Amino acid sequence: MAFPITRLRRLRQTPQIRNLVTETRLTPDALVYPLFVCPGEGVRREVRSMPGVFNLSVDETVKEAQVAHSLGVPSVILFGLPESKDEVATGAWAEDGIVQQAARALKSEVPGLLLMGDVCLCEYMSHGHCGIVKATPQSLGAAVAAPPAATVEYQIVNDASLELLARTSVSLAKAGIDIIAPSDMMDGRVAAIRRALDAADLPNTPILSYAAKFASGFYGPFREAADSAPLFGDRRSYQMDGANLREAMREIEADIEEGADMIMVKPAMPYLDVIAAARDRFDLPLAAYQVSGEYAMIEAAARNNWIDRDRVMMESLLSIRRAGASIILTYYAKDAARLLG
Ligand SMILES: [Zn+2]
């Protein structure tokens, strides 16, 4: 049936009709609000490249979470900025680690709030990598053409890192974190974490795996927020190549086989096709992380009055939802919930 019998504009005439036929609906239930916890008291330090996002001491984290929760945001995900860093990420798994402290405070002060704990080592390692770093003997290539003296040959050791990730997960769950969310991209970490949680009598703690996490320039502002930029090298030996969709499917499949309860794609907007492909192919709850760079770009343009901030914010979240993510981690959780409420 073609024009003039078919007129697609018939269903766009009024807000009421448009609302009736809308295919994708955003609700605050889908939103997860990331929070960066730092030491101290009464600390509320804005992240330079993420206006509106703060490093918060535990007491301020509680206040911020209360506001988000009262607006209808059901969940927060916690990242930590430890007092000090070392080569074994002690701050990640210590009983009095900064996220552990925040989790205990949030559990007692905001009991209805779902707590996710990001599990990674980079914020707690002095070198800023997501796993244990080992210096390696000169590679074959390096022996042929001697590298400049400043070149450090190193490796992010996979299997030894798993033990620290598992230890961190158990420690977070014991402190009150409801959902463990590993973001390090080491092979086998979901299995290692599942084993450790079960062994610690925490068989009911779900794992939300950052299954397809791409090495992305969009993480720039986060590294300032979480003080986690690597001191040398980059993360391309463990995070995924942005060119690879089929490999992303293999990553997700591997994590499901290892016991992931939910999966995530990160970043969101530059990888909407990966989200859509994952939705098509897998039946687990699917999350996507609208990362710091996505947020920073919208904020920067809005502050120049180049775009309508609220409109673009909602459109960006809608696109992630439409692509197939049912859960969205976003720095806009509070603001979006306010508009949706
Ligand atoms: Zn990391």
Side-chain angles (χ1 to χ4, degrees):
M1 222 69 78
F3 177 84
I5 306 230
T6 298
R7 288 180 183 272
L8 290 167
R9 287 185 55 196
R10 273 187 207 119
L11 299 184
R12 292 181 208 142
Q13 290 179 78
T14 65
Q16 291 81 0
I17 295 184
R18 289 196 292 272
N19 188 47
L20 182 71
V21 301
T22 195
E23 296 176 32
T24 309
R25 290 180 203 276
L26 274 176
T27 61
D29 319 289
L31 305 176
V32 181
Y33 190 31
L35 294 173
F36 299 99
V37 192
C38 68
E41 227 189 289
V43 181
R44 193 177 170 83
R45 193 169 53 234
E46 192 165 40
V47 180
R48 189 185 50 87
S49 52
M50 298 173 76
V53 174
F54 299 84
N55 289 165
L56 302 165
S57 51
V58 172
D59 55 323
E60 291 291 325
T61 300
V62 168
K63 285 185 205 160
E64 186 71 13
Q66 265 158 347
V67 173
H69 194 231
S70 70
L71 290 167
V73 177
S75 180
V76 297
I77 183 161
L78 301 180
F79 297 87
L81 290 93
E83 195 90 56
S84 62
K85 307 182 187 228
D86 57 29
E87 306 282 303
V88 289
T90 305
W93 45 264
E95 209 189 312
D96 63 344
I98 191 71
V99 172
Q100 286 82 346
Q101 291 177 38
R104 283 190 284 267
L106 287 167
K107 263 288 158 237
S108 71
E109 304 288 325
V110 203
L113 186 70
L114 198 56
L115 303 184
M116 295 187 182
D118 176 88
V119 172
C120 200
L121 306 176
C122 50
E123 297 130 73
Y124 308 94
M125 288 287 204
S126 40
H127 47 64
H129 275 289
C130 304
I132 292 172
V133 169
K134 199 176 87 179
T136 54
Q138 299 284 294
S139 71
L140 206 59
V144 175
T151 303
V152 185
E153 290 285 331
Y154 70 95
Q155 204 182 32
I156 312 302
V157 188
N158 193 86
D159 298 11
S161 303
L162 300 183
E163 200 271 318
L164 293 183
L165 294 163
R167 198 188 299 183
T168 301
S169 303
V170 170
S171 165
L172 292 177
K174 281 185 173 162
I177 294 290
D178 299 299
I179 297 172
I180 294 298
S183 65
D184 52 282
M185 290 300 283
M186 297 299 126
D187 287 325
R189 92 276 202 190
V190 172
I193 290 171
R194 183 72 272 158
R195 252 195 320 274
L197 289 171
D198 291 354
D201 203 19
L202 295 159
N204 295 320
T205 302
I207 298 174
L208 162 60
S209 169
Y210 288 67
K213 179 176 178 182
F214 292 89
S216 171
F218 286 92
Y219 302 149
F222 175 94
R223 290 177 186 174
E224 185 195 336
D227 185 25
S228 64
L231 286 183
F232 49 86
D234 57 38
R235 299 198 166 116
R236 287 172 212 266
S237 78
Y238 39 109
Q239 294 178 354
M240 284 198 54
D241 180 347
N244 295 356
L245 183 139
R246 288 189 294 270
E247 189 187 350
M249 298 301 110
R250 292 190 68 198
E251 277 286 1
I252 294 172
E253 208 168 278
D255 284 5
I256 293 173
E257 273 169 29
E258 288 178 29
D261 301 280
M262 297 177 272
I263 50 177
M264 192 197 302
V265 173
K266 180 184 181 184
M269 214 148 77
Y271 296 88
L272 291 178
D273 57 326
V274 179
I275 296 173
R279 181 66 298 159
D280 245 26
R281 194 152 155 175
F282 304 107
D283 291 327
L284 279 73
L286 175 62
Y289 199 138
Q290 181 179 50
V291 303
S292 58
E294 299 175 63
Y295 173 87
M297 286 196 306
I298 295 173
E299 285 304 303
R303 269 151 214 262
N304 276 297
N305 289 317
W306 293 342
I307 55 170
D308 176 334
R309 177 186 186 267
D310 287 355
R311 191 173 168 188
V312 170
M313 163 178 86
M314 297 312 273
E315 192 175 338
S316 68
L317 294 173
L318 193 68
S319 76
I320 297 165
R321 183 87 197 218
R322 191 189 61 241
S326 50
I327 303 162
I328 305 175
L329 291 77
T330 174
Y331 302 101
Y332 284 127
K334 218 172 58 172
D335 294 347
R338 198 177 275 129
L339 285 184
L340 291 166

